[in-house]
Amino acid sequence: MGGVADANFTLVQLRYFVTAAELGSMTAASRELMVAQSAISAAIAQVERELGVQLLIRHHARGLSLTRAGERFLVEAREFLAHAAALAQSARGLAGSLTGELAVGCLTTLAPFYLSRLLREFAGRYPGVRVSVAEGELSAMEAALLDGRCEVALVYAIDLALDLDIRPLTQARPYALLPLGHPLAEAEAVSLADLATEPMILLDLPRSRDYFRAIYPTEPRVRFRTSSYETARSLVAGGHGYSILNQRADNDQTYDGGRVACVPISDDVPALDVVLASVRGVRPTARAVAFAETCQAFFSGRRPGQASGG
């Protein structure tokens, strides 16, 4: 999109474009912004003329869709508007009392253990910031960051996209989860060789499954697969096998009333790094910086792998 540096459009026009693009409709944008539909259409047309590209395709009675150039520009426009808001906020001397919106992503297997308390701690420090949360598996969190739907995301650092920067927060070391009556349930530690002939309950999520299987010198005897941390714990408690997990719940009871034991692994197995990810080369808003600092403070007071709550 050459010539953008010389383009002549306003923040208001950019806001009209972003709203229409996100809602997929000029009519919906008009209702959202409480501005005449003709004004929104004219503003977007002005932006397109200045850029020399078509950003939106207008479908008669079927709303709007983005062109390839429009998809790229939408990400840039969101970032630009966020930084413009941060600049205005700073100019008003509000750095110590941040306001506005922050979109945060969180990996599904981390959310039950950390998300609620992180949000509570952040709200206590910055009550004027409205946080929205997207939750999903690792690829979904990467996509949310790269297309601008999230500014930061709490994830495991497993083969992350090269476009992302990470802030290390803590490490989650793997342990063996055994039924309470298992012969090794009260051992100080177990080796993978001790478990080699036993059936395994595999926490079967994209990338996580590769991490768990890479721990073993030989292929584990997988009996059941599940994408749910709590289902894995219940299956173990029911005597269907053992599992390898990284986050520890506060107690040994499962949803169905069973009991499990967490036993350290004596082998030299790699821990998972818990990180806060963001898009490389994108200057963070003051809200994102504040959230990152809150995360750093939260995790610095915890032992590696400790969780009150995957």
Side-chain angles (χ1 to χ4, degrees), residues 35-50:
V35 175
Q37 184 173 329
S38 59
I40 295 173
S41 181
I44 295 173
Q46 172 66 19
V47 174
E48 289 177 321
R49 281 194 299 271
E50 290 293 330

Side-chain angles (χ1 to χ4, degrees), residues 15-65:
R15 191 171 296 110
Y16 288 0
F17 162 73
V18 169
T19 304
E22 290 179 340
L23 296 177
S25 164
M26 295 284 188
T27 303
S30 175
R31 287 196 297 266
E32 175 76 13
L33 297 167
M34 293 185 289
V35 175
Q37 184 173 329
S38 59
I40 295 173
S41 181
I44 295 173
Q46 172 66 19
V47 174
E48 289 177 321
R49 281 194 299 271
E50 290 293 330
L51 295 176
V53 294
Q54 184 175 0
L55 301 174
L56 294 171
I57 300 173
R58 286 78 166 166
H59 304 283
H60 179 65
R62 291 190 294 114
L64 306 168
S65 62

